[in-house]
Amino acid sequence: MNTASAAPEPDVKPTPTTTPGAIKPKQKGSAQLFKNPVLERLTHTHIAGPLTIFFSVAAVSLYYGLSRGLLTGLSAFGLFLAGWFLFTLVEYLVHRYVYHIEASSPGRAKFQYTMHGVHHEFPKDKTRLAMPPILTVFVASLLFFIFRFTFGNAGFGILAGFVFGYALYLFVHYAIHVYAPPKNFLKVWWHHHAQHHYRQDEVAFGVSSTLWDHIIGTMPDKKK
């Protein structure tokens, strides 16, 4: 993109070393995570890339398992649901215990901000609502090997459900931050995630599902 020399500097902030609780949401701008321009560029991506990769992996995994006789129709369906259910738990645990790791040292604070704190500071930065395609391919490949060697042929069905859940999470998360809340039952997702971002970041860790917040007891206080 060409920019006129008289144009103002873009609203890009250097990475701070604050704790998560000190981060105040900004509705415009972006953060600079790396001084290296190549690395910095890789931290931005369009949501279509990761969505295409994960949905494709889910479809190919199911097709391969069924076409090669490694799965039956009924078992594939059950394993798909099991993988999807597993993802909802992983989504909750990673968000709560990895993304919101206690910033008890400068290194941990830097890790937390790079992984997730930047999203809390610039929640409307839609180029950082999903991991870059290079990391997406790596994660998808890693998940394949984990599920294949852990569950054998059943891994094809579990993998399909897991990465489908991942893609659904990315889609829901993107929609929540980019689009206005719908005037129907879906607004529950918008309200739940807004509580996490703007009022109670110590609860409401589920994004694509509120199931584990209900089970574990981290639903937001409705009075706040």
Side-chain angles (χ1 to χ4, degrees):
M1 180 183 297
N2 293 325
T3 305
S5 59
E9 291 293 323
D11 186 11
V12 176
K13 310 294 184 183
T15 303
T17 56
T18 55
T19 60
I23 294 175
K24 302 299 180 183
K26 300 177 179 63
Q27 300 307 306
K28 293 182 179 180
S30 183
Q32 180 181 338
L33 295 178
F34 298 100
K35 293 182 179 180
N36 184 295
V38 176
L39 290 178
E40 177 64 19
R41 181 65 187 87
L42 289 176
T43 66
H44 298 270
T45 188
H46 191 282
I47 190 66
L51 284 180
T52 300
I53 292 171
F54 281 128
F55 278 132
S56 297
V57 170
V60 170
S61 185
L62 272 183
Y63 175 78
Y64 184 86
L66 289 168
S67 64
R68 296 300 178 94
L70 304 177
L71 302 172
T72 63
L74 186 59
S75 68
F77 179 70
L79 291 169
F80 180 89
L81 293 180
W84 189 355
F85 180 75
L86 176 62
F87 174 79
T88 63
L89 176 59
V90 172
E91 173 197 316
Y92 177 91
L93 294 176
V94 170
H95 190 183
R96 182 175 182 179
Y97 296 109
V98 179
Y99 290 170
H100 282 265
I101 186 175
E102 183 181 357
S104 57
S105 69
R108 287 166 71 102
K110 174 73 173 180
F111 171 82
Q112 195 282 335
Y113 183 84
T114 302
M115 292 294 295
H116 192 62
V118 61
H119 172 56
H120 272 262
E121 185 170 18
F122 298 96
K124 297 298 184 181
D125 184 359
K126 59 184 180 181
T127 66
R128 282 202 173 115
L129 293 176
M131 67 178 70
I134 292 178
L135 283 179
T136 302
V137 172
F138 172 77
V139 169
S141 301
L142 180 63
L143 289 172
F144 167 76
F145 286 109
I146 290 175
F147 288 128
R148 182 69 176 87
F149 288 102
T150 302
F151 301 106
N153 291 339
F156 289 104
I158 298 174
L159 173 67
F162 192 92
V163 295
F164 175 84
Y166 204 149
L168 186 64
Y169 153 77
L170 291 176
F171 177 78
V172 170
H173 191 219
Y174 183 85
I176 288 173
H177 283 284
V178 174
Y179 302 110
K183 297 180 179 180
N184 53 44
F185 71 95
L186 294 176
K187 68 180 180 181
V188 170
W189 276 268
W190 270 255
H191 177 73
H192 187 78
H193 199 55
Q195 288 291 316
H196 176 74
H197 267 278
Y198 301 106
R199 295 185 178 181
Q200 307 173 69
D201 66 353
E202 73 282 2
V203 296
F205 296 105
V207 178
S208 65
S209 170
T210 62
L211 173 65
W212 296 103
D213 282 309
H214 282 286
I215 293 175
I216 298 176
T218 51
M219 286 293 291
D221 186 349
K222 295 182 179 180
K223 296 181 181 179
K224 292 185 179 182

